[in-house]
Amino acid sequence: MSKKKNYKYYSKIINKIQKTRSKNNKNWMDLLRLAFKENPQDAKKIVKGIFKEDKRISKLIKQLTLN
């Protein structure tokens, strides 16, 4: 596969990922709004846990990219 074909191929896939992620991000935000509306105290605990795990993932990604 030539570089130009390669780029087009990957670009199409990346565009599909972007579309899917944007839909999923909207779903996440809707869920977050609902959680804070219905039960803010429990929502805070859950979001704090998600944030903690996201930080752990970020550290692991740093390890991958620095080496």
Side-chain angles (χ1 to χ4, degrees):
M1 201 182 287
S2 72
K3 281 188 178 185
K4 194 165 195 158
K5 281 186 180 179
N6 216 5
Y7 174 76
K8 285 182 180 181
Y9 173 77
Y10 290 121
S11 184
K12 285 181 184 180
I13 294 173
I14 290 168
N15 288 339
K16 287 178 184 179
I17 292 169
Q18 183 178 7
K19 252 185 172 176
T20 303
R21 285 187 58 92
S22 69
K23 289 178 187 175
N24 198 42
N25 284 342
K26 183 186 180 319
N27 291 336
W28 264 104
M29 293 300 101
D30 290 346
L31 184 60
L32 195 59
R33 284 183 192 92
L34 179 63
F36 274 92
K37 178 181 177 185
E38 296 299 321
N39 192 335
Q41 293 306 313
D42 283 347
K44 286 179 191 180
K45 290 176 189 174
I46 293 168
V47 170
K48 185 177 179 179
I50 292 169
F51 181 65
K52 181 180 175 184
E53 294 305 318
D54 281 348
K55 285 172 59 176
R56 189 173 301 169
I57 291 168
S58 292
K59 286 180 182 179
L60 292 170
I61 291 173
K62 273 187 183 177
Q63 288 178 359
L64 286 175
T65 59
L66 293 177
N67 293 331

